[in-house]
Amino acid sequence: MLKVILGIETSCDDTAAAVVVEGKLRANVVASQQALHNRYGGVVPELASRDHQRRIVPVVRQALEEAQLKPTDIDAVAVTYGPGLVGSLLVGLSFAKAFALGLGRPLIGVNHLEGHMYSVFLEPPSPPFPYLCLVVSGGHTQLVRVEAGFQHEVLGRTRDDAAGEAFDKVARLLGLGYPGGPKIDQLAQKGNPAFVHFPRPRLEGYDFSFSGLKTAVLYYLNQLSEAERSHLLKYHLADLCAAFQQAVVEVLIDALRRAVEATGIQHVAIVGGVSANSGLRAAAEALSRTLNFQLYIPPIAYCMDNAAMIAITGYYKAQAGLESPLTLSAEPTLAV
Ligand code: KG4
Ligand code: ZN
């Protein structure tokens, strides 16, 4: 039985390692590269992979120290192999393969999106199967019906920008820096969402589209004179953020409401970076009371990219005998 799992995550701009022992989190280390990419307004892939290379060994070492374990105590190594930036993925994957090969332990490849989907199993309460899972991150937005462990059906996904990407792009338009989601969220809490009405794109089924919303914000800013624009950014920035955030939240909540009504599933999880959004959390809680379903949103540390979710997914994969060959390659466009 594989009890002690080292999880490694380097798919984007966080170098992370975690240890799960018999399904319980024992250590969780994340080294964020945010400061490195901040001034470029987004993640620079080449800088990201170089930084992962610098940090991967100390981050893993720290996770082992926090778990009070030696490398030889590890039973299996779980690692994100996609989706993500190829140069970033390769650092974690190469490290994990070397670690597994050196110690003669199995390698377990984990899909980053599955990691988000199973992040709800890190801490109780966790949902029973089946549950609906809204994955909202910087790279992905999808609504998934999770039938059982490693069996799921994607009900809908974004056709263009992910929800987090829309937050980041709009934040950039407003000069708020990267990543913009938390900044918009903070400002939105003080703003009036009725200040301006942005469109709520609704597609067939459960698919999403957020690029039009971002463009609507751009057009709104562009039709103003220079003076109007600086007045707006000075006095109504919070209102603008609130209006934009409410549009995103309403689109997500509308899909969730329809999916709960259509499937009758009583357990709903919201995971990924955007699940940290206060407006989304409040609206989801209100919906759960109206439709009488159980809502599961992980603590913020497990919403953002982390290796704890990779380690816990790896743990369940190990119990199911789902190991990977050492020839496993990075898959930047891996889907679930
Ligand atoms: O899951 P995550 O850490 O990385 C990916 O897998 O993409 O998500 C990062 C995304 C970023 O786009 C960030 O702006 C967004 O999550 N985000 C938020 C909030 N906190 C993070 N978006 C809206 N409100 C927040 N409070
Ligand atoms: Zn993620």
Side-chain angles (χ1 to χ4, degrees), residues 83-334:
L85 300 169
V86 72
S88 290
L89 289 165
L90 280 171
V91 176
L93 189 58
S94 310
F95 179 92
K97 284 183 187 181
F99 194 101
L101 184 66
L103 292 172
R105 302 291 195 270
L107 179 75
I108 300 170
V110 173
N111 179 321
H112 179 84
L113 297 173
E114 282 187 347
H116 277 303
M117 279 158 51
Y118 297 117
S119 62
V120 284
F121 294 105
L122 279 163
E123 259 183 28
S126 302
F129 297 113
Y131 66 94
L132 288 173
C133 188
L134 179 65
V135 184
V136 269
S137 73
H140 299 87
T141 297
Q142 49 193 42
L143 185 57
V144 186
R145 179 189 171 116
V146 186
E147 217 52 61
F150 310 106
Q151 275 178 50
H152 43 254
E153 180 193 351
V154 177
L155 302 178
R157 51 165 55 96
T158 184
R159 297 205 186 153
D160 39 60
D161 292 354
E165 192 178 353
F167 268 97
D168 295 339
K169 286 179 175 170
V170 166
R172 203 163 163 182
L173 289 177
L174 300 175
L176 295 175
Y178 174 85
K183 286 179 185 135
I184 290 187
D185 187 1
Q186 231 174 10
L187 283 161
Q189 289 176 38
K190 295 177 286 185
N192 171 17
F195 177 72
V196 43
H197 183 87
F198 291 121
R200 272 82 167 138
R202 183 168 160 179
L203 305 184
E204 287 278 300
Y206 301 104
D207 277 356
F208 304 98
S209 166
F210 289 107
S211 80
L213 181 53
K214 167 201 66 194
T215 312
V217 177
L218 178 67
Y219 284 175
Y220 178 76
L221 292 172
N222 283 352
Q223 46 97 34
L224 300 174
S225 69
E226 200 57 43
E228 287 170 330
R229 201 177 155 133
S230 65
H231 174 88
L232 178 93
L233 294 179
K234 197 161 172 196
Y235 298 106
H236 295 289
L237 189 57
D239 299 332
L240 204 58
C241 289
F244 163 75
Q245 178 168 298
Q246 194 173 66
V248 175
V249 168
E250 278 186 26
V251 168
L252 295 171
I253 291 293
D254 176 61
L256 211 48
R257 179 184 52 74
R258 287 183 287 120
V260 171
E261 284 173 349
T263 62
I265 294 177
Q266 293 296 301
H267 299 274
V268 175
I270 307 184
V271 301
V274 183
S275 67
N277 185 268
S278 60
L280 179 60
R281 284 182 175 230
E285 274 156 24
L287 185 71
S288 77
R289 287 190 292 272
T290 312
L291 296 187
N292 202 22
F293 61 78
Q294 195 74 35
L295 181 65
Y296 306 83
I297 305 182
I300 293 199
Y302 308 149
C303 294
M304 306 300 181
D305 282 352
N306 63 86
M309 67 185 194
I310 304 304
I312 194 80
T313 307
Y315 174 78
Y316 288 114
K317 279 193 131 176
Q319 308 316 303
L322 298 170
E323 295 171 11
S324 310
L326 283 173
T327 51
L328 181 71
S329 46
E331 290 192 36
T333 57
L334 186 66

